[in-house]
Amino acid sequence: MRPTEVKAHAAPITKPPESQSSPLDPPATAGPSEVSDVTPRILIPTQDLAPDDPALRCARLNFPEAEVHLLHVVDLLPPLDLLADVGDTALTQARDLLDVLGPGEVVVADQPAGVILDRARSGAFDLIVMGTERRGRLERFFLGSVAEAVVRESPIPVLTVRAPADRLTRIRRVTLLHDFSPSAERALGTVRTLWPGAAVTLLHALDPESLHTPFPVTIPEGGSAADQFIHRNQAWRQGAQRQLDALGGGEVVQGEPAELALDRARTGQTDLLALGTVSRTGVGRLLFGSVAQRVVRESPVPVLTARAAPERR
């Protein structure tokens, strides 16, 4: 079924010139003090069109001056021509509810993730804020069919919200998993731009049993395989700490990345987790399945994910 757009109290979606970069992509040389006071353009896919929608609540708490565009996708099966009365009623209700919440649009489509990604690729938005729990349906089903596809494929950063609206607070403490990849660098730039006053902790996870390191390391020749691993991990730790220090400081912690991040969230040490979704090796789907997917699914605090920024022309 081709998407049918039904716009209610619609805000225009205008694609900027190709040479215009997102305000969430600061110069590569920017440091913690070199941040812009930007007003982000936010796309909020809303599932229930309710005032207490977690994504809407999170956006209003953290970006009260932002330009917000709501997107509600109606998935009606069987097709509308077989259930005309039901379809008309659902669309009328959706339009009325959206009018109350703010500017946006109602779209009829059988692929919600595709509609969201089309908007993300339009160049009209800097950030997506979306929930990961669909009321009345299995959370895992929604994640697998919509949110995970958006997080994995969106060209702009995505802020996912799993907690109920009444448990959300303003973001003042951020823990960022940094693997020194371009996607992690973009996540860091986004955090520093959106939350310039937040306390940001950079966390690099060193998995001693991993077969790969995030950057080349030099180890002495000879010795047993066990000795080689010990020397490699020592070089890995030292190299990671040097890179973190160059970024303003951070911690190298031994363990599995997702579990380390989730532990910080579960114990109340952070208000936001942030990470990239593509590793330096480029196996994006594998990394997403092993780290970002679990963090998005299980984190009790919002999660910011970002892919590497596209090359500027």
Side-chain angles (χ1 to χ4, degrees):
M1 180 192 304
R2 295 185 60 185
T4 302
E5 298 188 12
V6 184
K7 297 186 178 181
H9 190 44
I13 301 177
T14 305
K15 184 174 181 179
E18 292 186 356
S19 60
Q20 179 177 332
S21 60
S22 167
L24 300 194
D25 294 331
T29 56
S33 62
E34 298 178 41
V35 294
S36 301
D37 183 15
V38 301
T39 301
R41 302 164 299 172
I42 300 178
L43 175 67
I44 304 180
T46 178
Q47 305 150 29
D48 300 303
L49 292 172
D52 63 345
D53 182 283
L56 185 58
R57 170 67 174 166
C58 184
R60 286 176 171 169
L61 271 174
N62 289 281
F63 316 109
E65 303 300 324
E67 301 175 20
V68 171
H69 184 89
L70 303 176
L71 173 64
H72 179 66
V73 180
V74 179
D75 184 0
L76 292 175
L77 294 175
L80 286 175
D81 56 354
L82 299 183
L83 290 174
D85 292 341
V86 174
D88 289 344
T89 299
L91 291 175
T92 299
Q93 292 176 342
R95 287 195 296 267
D96 292 343
L97 291 170
L98 188 66
D99 274 332
V100 174
L101 294 180
E105 60 186 318
V106 176
V107 177
V108 178
D110 59 357
Q111 296 293 333
V115 176
I116 297 169
L117 289 169
D118 283 345
R119 301 301 186 271
R121 294 170 181 138
S122 72
F125 304 103
D126 307 305
L127 178 71
I128 296 173
V129 182
M130 66 185 302
T132 62
E133 183 174 1
R134 196 167 197 172
R135 300 171 187 176
R137 301 191 183 186
L138 292 177
E139 177 183 358
R140 184 175 296 274
F141 174 80
F142 178 62
L143 275 165
S145 62
V146 180
E148 288 181 0
V150 173
V151 168
R152 186 174 59 243
E153 300 177 28
S154 173
I156 61 177
V158 181
L159 183 64
T160 53
V161 185
R162 179 170 171 260
D166 59 1
R167 294 177 57 186
L168 294 170
T169 62
R170 293 193 64 184
I171 293 169
R172 295 182 173 87
R173 301 167 300 164
V174 180
T175 297
L176 188 143
L177 278 178
H178 208 310
D179 63 354
F180 312 114
S181 64
S183 57
E185 283 297 313
R186 189 183 191 193
L188 178 58
T190 301
V191 166
R192 286 177 169 170
T193 302
L194 291 178
W195 296 281
V200 180
T201 299
L202 302 185
L203 195 68
H204 179 76
L206 190 158
D207 185 350
E209 298 181 357
S210 173
L211 298 178
H212 305 283
T213 59
F215 48 83
V217 298
T218 301
I219 57 177
E221 297 181 0
S224 65
D227 289 337
Q228 291 286 304
F229 259 81
I230 291 173
H231 290 305
R232 184 208 67 167
N233 290 340
Q234 289 175 343
W236 180 354
R237 178 180 293 275
Q238 293 168 358
Q241 192 61 63
R242 284 195 297 268
Q243 294 194 56
L244 290 176
D245 290 343
L247 293 170
E251 306 174 36
V252 179
V253 183
Q254 184 169 307
E256 195 277 323
E259 186 58 36
L260 290 171
L262 290 169
D263 180 68
R264 299 282 175 115
R266 291 166 180 153
T267 55
Q269 300 179 60
T270 190
D271 304 316
L272 174 74
L273 295 177
L275 69 161
T277 57
V278 179
S279 69
R280 194 176 280 275
T281 59
V283 189
R285 188 176 295 268
L286 175 62
L287 178 69
F288 183 80
S290 62
V291 180
Q293 182 184 56
R294 184 181 172 200
V295 172
V296 168
R297 282 184 171 179
E298 299 182 22
S299 175
V301 301
V303 178
L304 178 84
T305 53
R307 296 174 62 193
E311 294 184 3
R312 297 181 181 179
R313 299 182 180 181

